[in-house]
Amino acid sequence: MNVRCNYCRQSFNLSRDYLVEAIAKADEKRQKYHTVECINCRKAIKVSVPQMKRYAPALPAEDEAEAES
Ligand SMILES: [Zn+2]
């Protein structure tokens, strides 16, 4: 899943494994947003949990061929 920093416009990719873990933590805390640190400027970027779920469904997927950017 591609994320763009609001501060420096750096865009970077979050892996499926990362998303699955982040979604689990967000669900546990009932958060609507997950915070990631920008790889460039290190500011906190909010990523919406529903959006992450679209990229990494709760059930583990066997194929990763259909990844959309
Ligand atoms: Zn940044």
Side-chain angles (χ1 to χ4, degrees), residues 4-40:
R4 191 197 294 257
C5 176
N6 297 322
Y7 304 94
C8 70
R9 300 288 164 198
Q10 171 78 43
S11 71
F12 53 99
N13 203 61
L14 300 178
S15 72
R16 177 186 286 269
D17 285 352
Y18 180 91
L19 290 175
V20 168
E21 205 170 297
I23 290 165
K25 283 182 188 166
D27 274 349
E28 206 173 280
K29 296 178 188 169
R30 309 205 169 181
Q31 293 172 326
K32 295 247 190 295
Y33 289 92
H34 171 70
T35 307
V36 292
E37 192 179 80
C38 175
I39 55 166
N40 185 48

